Amino acid sequence: MEHRIVGPGPYRATKLWNETVELFRARMPLRKHRCRFKSYEHCFTAAEAVDWLHELLRCSQNFGPEVTRKQTVQLLKKFLKNHVIEDIKGKWGQEDFEDNRHLYRFPPSSPLKPYPKKPTYQKDVIKFPEWNDPPLGTSQENIPVKPVVMNSEMWYKRHSIAIGEVPACRLVHRRQLTEAHVEEIWKSMTLSYLQKILGLDSLEEVLDIKLVNSKFIMHNVYSVSKQGVVILDDKSKELPHWVLSAMKCLANWPNCSDLKQPMYLGFEKDVFKTIADYYGHLKEPLLTFHLFDAFVSVLGLLQKEKMAIEAFQICCLLLPPENRRKLQLLMRMMARICLNKEMPPLCDGFGTRTLMVQTFSRCILCSKDEVDLDELLAARLVTFLMDNYQEILKVPLALQTSIEERVAHLRRVQIKYPGADMDITLSAPAFCRQISPEEFEYQRAYGSQEPLAALLEEVITDPKLSSKEKKKKLKQFQKSYPEVYRERFPTPESEALLFSEKPKPKPQLLMWALKKPFQPFQRTRSFRM
């Protein structure tokens, strides 16, 4: 009499429903009963069904020991409504199931719940923006081209690339990120992160990604108070003042010695009933209908507590900000009430923790489909939320950092060399446009002449170069680019004008200067032995 563990994945609630129905029909003890002087074979009383199914659910790791007898009765009511069981006279659907001695039996066949057929969505969650494509509504012909002014250093770089000294590179330009692009990145990476944690090939059967609002995610990350609670821009969506005051009263319940607290017998029960009535009349559960399957899927990870907390963090980021704020305030109040030993009993029949779960589970998680285990699953989820609400309802820093780094990376302009993965950030972007074949031929023939001519003029007019160095560079230029050089100096005379000053001749040395000056004869004195 054991459930197998149903892990995360699509249709988890349906799988649990079908498995529970199969176990109940296969293993529920049947025997002979008498009712009003008549005997009935192969049947069971309502109380026997509640006892057996309650024990089955409590021993299941998919539901846990927190399942109450009242929740088991509610499930059997759904069984009767969907013809899983019928009363001894064959009636079902409109009859009400109660925990008594009324006799029930299994119909000859009980169809299991079929798996819902959802429209197929694209396998990719959301594609990252293609930065090579122009924005919608724009044409490449209208993209401005930044003029390039060549100097000697830039010319040398291009010349070096042309002769193979430096590997060719290409400019990877990414257009400026718009707010819509940033929102797409937040949505895509958040859903991809959730898909990875759940271990699914696609999220299409867990939630409709078209209903996921990227602005909600960004608001829940950045618009928070110091306590981590969401701050709403629209104050009309705030909790009513009287509800917020009642929640603060119970969350901060003082000791009985505090005379400032207005008290009378049963005061705390009335305050709690006020809060429960407000949350019980919400039009939609706080976790929303369209995220029901996503949260139920995460319940399959409760055996891995850390992964379950991370998955719940991501799912709670997808909530509308007003829902996330109401959930944060409610869970904080519930946790404080359960931990407050000074709090008087709020209900005579249940403990405080059980009362919190039963009172607020349906307003937190609920399914549109009546044929579901939403009450049992909601109780399981609320229990886990109440024990880990501080971790679950805070912004996941790993995800936030990853997305912010991705956005910063996409705002950079890069130069990429063949076979290199390193990026070099440039100071300013450049723009390119497609040209016609005629314009390409013209630029190929004459486009490089102007920068080369400018470079030649720079050499000619450079005052720092001596005549010897200037002649040497001009000879090198003439050898490499004879056409450009010939256009600048069409005749030898034009070249001679550049060096019109003749060098000064060196002074000639006189022949007599090489001889010793005339000296009169001086008779030397001889010494004879």
Side-chain angles (χ1 to χ4, degrees):
M1 195 175 68
E2 294 182 357
H3 274 92
R4 63 181 179 86
I5 298 178
V6 179
Y11 314 126
R12 185 174 186 271
T14 304
K15 294 176 182 177
L16 289 173
W17 170 275
N18 289 340
E19 184 180 357
T20 304
V21 170
E22 288 178 342
L23 288 174
F24 183 52
R25 284 178 56 87
R27 301 184 181 181
M28 174 66 199
L30 305 177
R31 61 187 180 89
K32 182 179 179 179
H33 289 81
R34 290 182 62 86
C35 180
R36 296 182 181 180
F37 306 104
K38 190 175 181 180
S39 298
Y40 297 93
E41 299 286 345
H42 307 294
C43 59
F44 52 87
T45 66
E48 291 174 347
V50 174
D51 291 339
W52 190 90
L53 186 58
H54 185 210
E55 185 64 22
L56 173 69
L57 297 175
R58 284 173 52 86
C59 294
S60 170
Q61 294 185 2
N62 294 313
F63 302 103
E66 294 85 6
V67 178
T68 64
R69 190 175 182 87
K70 181 180 178 181
Q71 291 172 339
T72 307
V73 173
Q74 295 296 324
L75 178 58
L76 284 166
K77 287 183 178 182
K78 292 186 177 183
F79 281 179
L80 180 61
K81 184 176 181 179
N82 293 276
H83 206 196
V84 176
I85 60 175
E86 61 184 16
D87 81 342
I88 201 63
K89 296 181 180 180
K91 298 179 181 179
W92 59 277
Q94 301 300 326
E95 286 72 25
D96 192 16
F97 184 94
E98 295 181 2
D99 190 358
N100 53 24
R101 300 293 299 175
H102 193 75
L103 293 179
Y104 291 91
R105 67 186 182 188
F106 292 119
S109 62
S110 179
L112 300 179
K113 180 181 176 183
Y115 293 108
K117 294 182 179 180
K118 295 186 178 181
T120 57
Y121 307 108
Q122 57 181 2
K123 289 293 183 181
D124 296 331
V125 178
I126 290 182
K127 292 178 62 177
F128 288 125
E130 295 290 345
W131 309 117
N132 295 328
D133 299 336
L136 296 177
T138 62
S139 173
Q140 291 186 350
E141 295 296 332
N142 299 326
I143 299 178
V145 178
K146 183 178 180 180
V148 180
V149 179
M150 294 284 291
N151 55 25
S152 59
E153 184 179 0
M154 292 181 65
W155 173 87
Y156 176 76
K157 288 182 178 179
R158 289 194 176 184
H159 178 67
S160 301
I161 294 173
I163 63 178
E165 295 180 5
V166 179
C169 63
R170 63 185 180 89
L171 182 66
V172 180
H173 170 64
R174 291 165 178 153
R175 67 176 181 265
Q176 184 178 3
L177 286 179
T178 64
E179 187 66 25
H181 291 146
V182 176
E183 291 175 1
E184 288 179 4
I185 294 171
W186 270 93
K187 178 178 178 179
S188 175
M189 295 190 66
T190 301
L191 295 180
S192 298
Y193 201 76
L194 176 61
Q195 179 178 328
K196 181 179 179 181
I197 295 176
L198 295 178
L200 303 177
D201 296 331
S202 174
L203 292 176
E204 62 179 13
E205 295 175 345
V206 174
L207 58 85
D208 185 355
I209 62 174
K210 295 180 181 178
L211 299 179
V212 177
N213 193 324
S214 56
K215 293 183 180 180
F216 291 169
I217 302 174
M218 298 179 68
H219 187 99
N220 292 333
V221 170
Y222 292 113
S223 298
V224 294
S225 65
K226 294 181 179 179
Q227 292 76 27
V229 180
V230 175
I231 301 174
L232 300 181
D233 297 330
D234 187 358
K235 299 303 179 182
S236 64
K237 296 181 179 179
E238 287 274 8
L239 280 170
H241 178 70
W242 52 274
V243 176
L244 191 59
S245 299
M247 295 177 69
K248 288 182 179 179
C249 177
L250 292 185
N252 303 315
W253 188 265
N255 297 325
C256 296
S257 60
D258 190 351
L259 300 179
K260 296 181 180 180
Q261 178 70 31
M263 288 187 181
Y264 59 84
L265 187 62
F267 170 77
E268 66 283 349
K269 295 181 180 179
D270 291 342
V271 175
F272 181 76
K273 186 176 184 300
T274 300
I275 301 170
D277 288 343
Y278 171 79
Y279 277 94
H281 288 84
L282 295 177
K283 295 181 180 179
E284 187 180 30
L286 295 179
L287 301 185
T288 69
F289 286 129
H290 83 271
L291 291 176
F292 173 81
D293 289 331
F295 279 99
V296 169
S297 182
V298 177
L299 286 175
L301 292 173
L302 293 189
Q303 304 298 326
K304 303 175 182 178
E305 183 175 330
K306 185 177 179 181
M307 292 182 63
I309 291 176
E310 291 179 357
F312 277 128
Q313 283 181 337
I314 305 301
C315 288
C316 289
L317 283 183
L318 308 181
L319 296 173
E322 58 269 20
N323 288 38
R324 182 178 172 89
R325 178 176 173 82
K326 291 178 182 178
L327 180 65
Q328 287 175 316
L329 296 176
L330 178 61
M331 297 309 303
R332 185 170 65 179
M333 181 202 74
M334 293 169 60
R336 289 186 178 182
I337 289 177
C338 292
L339 295 175
N340 189 357
K341 298 181 179 180
E342 302 295 334
M343 174 66 68
L346 298 175
C347 181
D348 298 333
F350 301 102
T352 303
R353 181 182 175 88
T354 304
L355 178 65
M356 293 295 122
V357 175
Q358 289 194 7
T359 303
F360 296 108
S361 61
R362 191 164 182 81
C363 72
I364 293 176
L365 182 70
C366 182
S367 171
K368 281 186 176 181
D369 192 357
E370 284 294 330
V371 190
D372 234 327
L373 303 173
D374 51 359
E375 293 187 6
L376 299 177
L377 297 174
R380 182 79 162 153
L381 182 141
V382 172
T383 302
F384 189 81
L385 275 179
M386 202 161 52
D387 294 336
N388 303 278
Y389 82 98
Q390 291 181 336
E391 289 292 324
I392 291 175
L393 294 176
K394 73 178 184 180
V395 178
L397 294 180
L399 175 64
Q400 180 182 356
T401 303
S402 177
I403 296 177
E404 289 175 348
E405 289 178 352
R406 173 70 178 176
V407 173
H409 173 75
L410 291 176
R411 282 176 172 156
R412 296 210 305 265
V413 179
Q414 302 174 342
I415 286 182
K416 286 189 178 288
Y417 293 92
D421 296 329
M422 299 300 295
D423 299 340
I424 302 176
T425 303
L426 298 181
S427 58
F431 301 91
C432 300
R433 65 181 178 86
Q434 188 175 3
I435 61 175
S436 63
E438 294 78 10
E439 188 176 357
F440 170 75
E441 292 297 333
Y442 176 81
Q443 290 186 4
R444 185 175 66 85
Y446 303 101
S448 61
Q449 305 295 323
E450 295 181 2
L452 291 174
L455 179 62
L456 180 58
E457 288 296 331
E458 186 178 345
V459 175
I460 294 172
T461 58
D462 191 353
K464 298 180 181 180
L465 295 176
S466 63
S467 298
K468 184 177 180 180
E469 293 174 344
K470 190 176 295 186
K471 285 183 178 181
K472 183 178 180 181
K473 287 185 176 295
L474 289 176
K475 286 183 179 180
Q476 292 177 349
F477 193 95
Q478 183 182 14
K479 184 178 180 180
S480 300
Y481 306 101
E483 296 180 358
V484 180
Y485 190 85
R486 191 181 307 113
E487 186 177 352
R488 176 62 176 83
F489 301 107
T491 61
E493 290 76 9
S494 59
E495 182 181 3
L497 292 175
L498 181 61
F499 305 100
S500 57
E501 295 184 2
K502 295 183 179 180
K504 295 180 180 180
K506 295 182 180 180
Q508 296 181 358
L509 297 178
L510 299 177
M511 295 300 296
W512 60 268
L514 298 175
K515 300 179 179 180
K516 293 183 180 180
F518 175 77
Q519 295 179 359
F521 175 77
Q522 294 181 358
R523 186 175 181 180
T524 58
R525 186 176 179 182
S526 61
F527 297 92
R528 296 182 178 179
M529 298 294 295

